[in-house]
Amino acid sequence: MDNNALADEIALFISSKRESDYWDFKEKYHSNKANLLHDIICMANNRADRDAYIIFGVSDVYEIKGVEGDENRKTQQNVIDFLKAKKFSGGIRPSVELKSLFIQGKLIDVLIVKNSTETPFFLTEDYSDQGRIVRANYIYTRVGDSNTEINKSADINHIEYLWKKRFLLNRPPLEQIKNKLRTKSEWKREEGMFYNVFNPEYTISLEYDADCDRPEFYSYVMTNHSTSFGILDIRCFGTKMFSQQYAVLDSGRYVTTVPEWGFISFEKHNHDETYSYKYFVKNSLNYILHEFLLEDDHEAIWARNRFYEVVVTFNSEMERELFEEYLVRNKQQFIDELCKDEDTYEWIYSENEREKKHIRKGIKTGIALNSLLEKYRRLKMAQSL
């Protein structure tokens, strides 16, 4: 999440005039390090199953005070080093990020405690400061707007939830499959399908579609534009959980799920002013399957790199939406980027001139968008500094 989106979210929390199971306000940084550690562990073990925020510079009555001049103010590295020095079970520590934001003209700090399936986080050795003790083997969490008391362990039902989260038992089967797809070594291929060696009830089948063989624009950046399509199904105990079209590109050298369609319209009801493109969003199931299908072969990797030249990959759905809005506001920049590509694409084979124009437009749009996305990310990074 970029700083602008985070600032909007934090401002919404402040205006709500309440705390919750994944955000907590602090007027000042902790003067007691045991209290800081306790708060971080509670947030890391939150039951909202998402990133949590400790927001510094906002009072108990939700007034923005700012952190300028706070003698206990810390940097991100301070917090990371502090956590590294503590003895966590299994050596697994909460992951954190510290961001500074201006809201209503005042500087606040947001300690983002990253969501993780490594729960529960707990110490294997007591840590104390000024009489406050974070206990070894005590499991702390946050329920509603309250942390587990520092001298108590969480209720058994909350502890059970955190262990279930570690083993993904709190997730529906499709979410469990999505996580397992990240480790391809867990899957075995057999006669047009994959099955998970640890959970054989999870299967992935690929079935050729003889009725669909028309190449997409990205087919023409390959060595050979020959393309075929099929349907990929994910099943659990034979029940279909997810279905997605896949493409076999470059005469079989490269297999990928088909990316999503995106559209940029500079003028409604004018086809010439609308540009279509193909994209993936990282961490989406479609993207994870796209990575899963990649063979460890230099020809497949080469084809994938060519594919990426004209297909856009976003870090998040929010980034995609904000980038499209940015393009609509900066039409001339997009047009200038399109014009940089002077290739006439006469080598594209098509008996239909209109189809050839569509293919050429798709390739040029993809190249332009990838270039502009890099510039957009650099711009957002500079704005956040």
Side-chain angles (χ1 to χ4, degrees), residues 163-218:
W163 282 110
K164 286 180 179 179
K165 183 179 178 183
R166 170 168 288 204
F167 297 109
L168 302 180
L169 298 177
N170 65 325
R171 306 284 179 90
L174 189 58
E175 282 295 308
Q176 297 183 44
I177 295 170
K178 180 179 176 181
N179 187 66
K180 288 180 178 294
L181 284 168
R182 301 177 192 276
T183 308
K184 194 168 183 177
S185 60
E186 285 191 16
W187 296 81
K188 185 175 180 179
R189 185 160 191 168
E190 191 174 274
E191 297 180 1
M193 65 170 287
F194 296 89
Y195 68 88
N196 186 273
V197 295
F198 301 111
N199 297 90
E201 67 272 21
Y202 298 154
T203 62
I204 302 169
S205 62
L206 294 94
E207 185 173 342
Y208 173 66
D209 183 359
D211 296 328
C212 185
D213 60 359
R214 181 181 177 183
E216 290 276 12
F217 69 87
Y218 48 75

Side-chain angles (χ1 to χ4, degrees), residues 115-320:
N115 189 28
S116 170
T117 57
E118 301 290 349
T119 58
F121 294 95
F122 60 94
L123 299 182
T124 57
E125 184 178 282
D126 285 357
Y127 176 76
S128 63
D129 185 39
Q130 304 174 50
R132 296 280 284 175
I133 304 173
V134 181
R135 298 288 185 182
N137 303 312
Y138 277 37
I139 294 178
Y140 304 110
T141 187
R142 184 174 177 86
V143 180
D145 61 357
S146 300
N147 291 338
T148 306
E149 293 180 28
I150 200 169
N151 60 347
K152 294 181 180 179
S153 200
D155 293 343
I156 187 64
N157 59 315
H158 300 314
I159 295 173
E160 285 178 351
Y161 169 84
L162 293 170
W163 282 110
K164 286 180 179 179
K165 183 179 178 183
R166 170 168 288 204
F167 297 109
L168 302 180
L169 298 177
N170 65 325
R171 306 284 179 90
L174 189 58
E175 282 295 308
Q176 297 183 44
I177 295 170
K178 180 179 176 181
N179 187 66
K180 288 180 178 294
L181 284 168
R182 301 177 192 276
T183 308
K184 194 168 183 177
S185 60
E186 285 191 16
W187 296 81
K188 185 175 180 179
R189 185 160 191 168
E190 191 174 274
E191 297 180 1
M193 65 170 287
F194 296 89
Y195 68 88
N196 186 273
V197 295
F198 301 111
N199 297 90
E201 67 272 21
Y202 298 154
T203 62
I204 302 169
S205 62
L206 294 94
E207 185 173 342
Y208 173 66
D209 183 359
D211 296 328
C212 185
D213 60 359
R214 181 181 177 183
E216 290 276 12
F217 69 87
Y218 48 75
S219 303
Y220 290 87
V221 298
M222 303 289 155
T223 302
N224 188 318
H225 73 267
S226 176
T227 304
S228 59
F229 293 91
I231 299 297
L232 178 153
D233 290 332
I234 296 178
R235 297 176 185 271
C236 176
F237 289 113
T239 300
K240 187 187 296 186
M241 311 294 293
F242 180 81
S243 189
Q244 174 67 36
Q245 189 180 40
Y246 70 90
V248 181
L249 302 171
D250 207 11
S251 294
R253 295 181 180 88
Y254 178 52
V255 181
T256 176
T257 50
V258 172
E260 309 293 338
W261 278 112
F263 301 93
I264 302 163
S265 296
F266 294 106
E267 186 178 326
K268 291 182 178 180
H269 313 302
N270 185 341
H271 178 74
D272 291 334
E273 288 290 296
T274 298
Y275 294 81
S276 58
Y277 69 97
K278 286 282 193 173
Y279 72 91
F280 287 112
V281 176
K282 286 185 177 180
N283 294 320
S284 68
L285 182 52
N286 194 24
Y287 179 78
I288 292 169
L289 284 166
H290 151 76
E291 290 196 314
F292 177 85
L293 292 173
L294 177 66
E295 297 291 340
D296 187 13
D297 171 85
H298 73 276
E299 288 188 336
I301 292 171
W302 184 90
R304 190 271 309 271
N305 292 340
R306 293 284 292 169
F307 181 75
Y308 278 165
E309 291 178 8
V310 296
V311 173
V312 185
T313 301
F314 294 104
N315 291 323
S316 66
E317 185 64 28
M318 179 173 288
E319 182 183 59
R320 183 188 69 81

Side-chain angles (χ1 to χ4, degrees), residues 346-358:
E346 293 301 324
W347 44 268
I348 294 175
Y349 172 77
S350 176
E351 296 179 354
N352 185 317
E353 188 58 35
R354 182 176 180 182
E355 182 181 18
K356 186 174 180 179
K357 181 180 178 181
H358 174 74

Side-chain angles (χ1 to χ4, degrees), residues 357-376:
K357 181 180 178 181
H358 174 74
I359 294 166
R360 184 166 57 243
K361 185 177 180 181
I363 294 172
K364 290 171 72 73
T365 298
I367 293 171
L369 291 180
N370 274 312
S371 177
L372 287 171
L373 182 58
E374 286 187 20
K375 295 176 182 177
Y376 171 79

